[in-house]
């Protein structure tokens, strides 16, 4: 279990932490710092200079619940003084820049404490900018997170997969661009609840085509995510793909009476098993030697192929993905259909 830790902002409700003792106990007193940096006027930005990192340690202590790590929300609003603010609504730091020095140090200290006291735990940053070295050690000047969400990959991939397959060849850069910067950080590829709420549509509804095509594209998307370098993350809203995520309602387990929905569940289960058992898919996730393109230029057929390599140079997996709804040509060797991968 990964627990959300949200030091960046909190609700302004009267029954919440805002002005808890009648003073600005946790938030900024200056309105140029107090208004939320996450774009929501209903919440306040935490004063990182006051926040105690001990609040992140308690959930990780051995006790009734086992917590594997922390996912820190809205890290960008902790790092930039002008995040989601207009000119005149923020105050520069002592050096005249827009970096939040207290937020930077809070992130570093939190990660130092977690990794020092709980060596097996991970920390994940939901950070949407190009802030350098988010997942690099603090002694090298990084923020110290184990992983960073690859928001660019997520947006590009959803934009690409939502297109009708006949148009995908004109947008192939959205599929391949992420591999240009994939090893700059320890990335995780996220399909979170944020992508299936507030009328953004369910994962299934994002897919083009008829019902068969929607499920085929969804399997293709998940298979490509697992085969791509970096870690993968898929929320419950993705595994139950037919409706938007709603925290006020239970999961729609009754959908499993349909073979199509059972198929998605089995498919994700099998992907997890394959990913765990096949070393080439995870042993060298964050270094270039774990990945090698075979062909990314077949845009007319929307087919990509690449190698994933393990620590043993002879341990390699060939992955082939067909992003069209056709199964190949009449040449005797058909290309795989949507969602198919080939292993050698």
């Amino acid at each position: 279990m990964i627990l959300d830790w949200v030091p960046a902002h909190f609700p302004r409700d009267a029954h919440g932490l805002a002005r808890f003792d009648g003073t600005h106990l946790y938030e900024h007193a200056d309105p140029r710092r107090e208004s939320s940096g996450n774009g929501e006027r209903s919440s306040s930005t935490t004063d990182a200079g006051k926040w105690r990192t001990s609040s992140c340690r308690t959930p990780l202590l051995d006790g009734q619940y086992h917590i594997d790590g922390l996912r820190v929300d809205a890290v960008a609003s902790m790092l930039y003084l002008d995040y989601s603010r207009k000119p005149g609504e923020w105050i520069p730091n002592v050096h005249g820049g827009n970096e939040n020095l207290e937020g930077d140090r809070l992130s570093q200290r939190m990660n130092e404490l977690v990794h020092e006291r709980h060596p097996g735990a991970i920390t994940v940053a939901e950070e949407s900018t190009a802030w350098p070295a988010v997942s690099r050690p603090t002694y090298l000047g990084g923020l110290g997170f184990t992983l960073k969400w690859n928001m660019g990959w997520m947006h590009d991939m959803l934009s690409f997969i939502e297109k009708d397959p006949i148009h995908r060849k004109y947008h192939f850069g959205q599929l391949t661009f992420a591999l240009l910067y994939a090893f700059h950080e320890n990335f995780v590829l996220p399909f979170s609840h944020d992508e299936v709420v507030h009328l953004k549509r369910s994962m299934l509804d994002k897919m083009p085509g008829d019902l068969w095509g929607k499920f085929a594209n969804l399997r293709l998307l998940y298979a490509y995510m697992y085969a791509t370098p970096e870690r993968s993350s898929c929320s419950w809203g993705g595994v139950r793909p037919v409706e938007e995520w709603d925290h006020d309602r239970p999961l729609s387990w009754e959908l499993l009476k349909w073979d199509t929905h059972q198929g998605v569940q089995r498919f994700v289960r099998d992907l997890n098993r394959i990913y765990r058992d096949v070393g080439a898919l995870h042993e060298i996730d964050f270094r270039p030697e774990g990945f090698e393109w075979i062909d990314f230029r077949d845009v007319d057929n929307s087919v990509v192929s690449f190698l994933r390599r393990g620590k043993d140079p002879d341990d390699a997996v060939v992955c082939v993905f067909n992003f069209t709804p056709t199964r190949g040509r009449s040449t005797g060797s058909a290309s795989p259909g949507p969602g198919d991968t080939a292993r050698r």
Side-chain angles (χ1 to χ4, degrees), residues 19-58:
R19 298 179 67 88
F20 182 72
D21 64 351
T23 69
H24 294 85
L25 182 61
Y26 296 107
E27 65 271 34
H28 292 277
D30 192 314
R32 291 170 294 180
R33 296 290 302 277
E34 195 273 335
S35 60
S36 175
N38 70 339
E40 299 178 18
R41 296 300 174 182
S42 61
S43 64
S44 296
T45 301
T46 305
D47 185 344
K50 300 176 181 177
W51 197 265
R52 291 172 174 80
T53 52
S54 59
S55 63
C56 74
R57 299 202 306 261
T58 303

Side-chain angles (χ1 to χ4, degrees), residues 181-233:
Y181 62 86
F183 307 108
H184 292 177
E185 296 274 5
N186 297 339
F187 282 118
V188 58
L189 308 178
F191 289 136
S192 74
H193 65 283
D194 287 333
E195 309 316 314
V196 288
V197 293
H198 307 316
L199 303 180
K200 293 180 183 178
R201 298 178 295 165
S202 68
M203 291 298 290
L204 188 67
D205 283 340
K206 293 177 188 291
M207 303 297 115
D210 58 13
L211 189 61
W212 177 90
K214 287 179 180 294
F215 276 103
N217 275 285
L218 192 64
R219 293 193 300 271
L220 171 64
L221 175 64
Y222 288 163
Y224 185 77
M225 176 177 68
Y226 273 76
T228 302
E230 304 157 2
R231 298 292 189 256
S232 301
S233 174

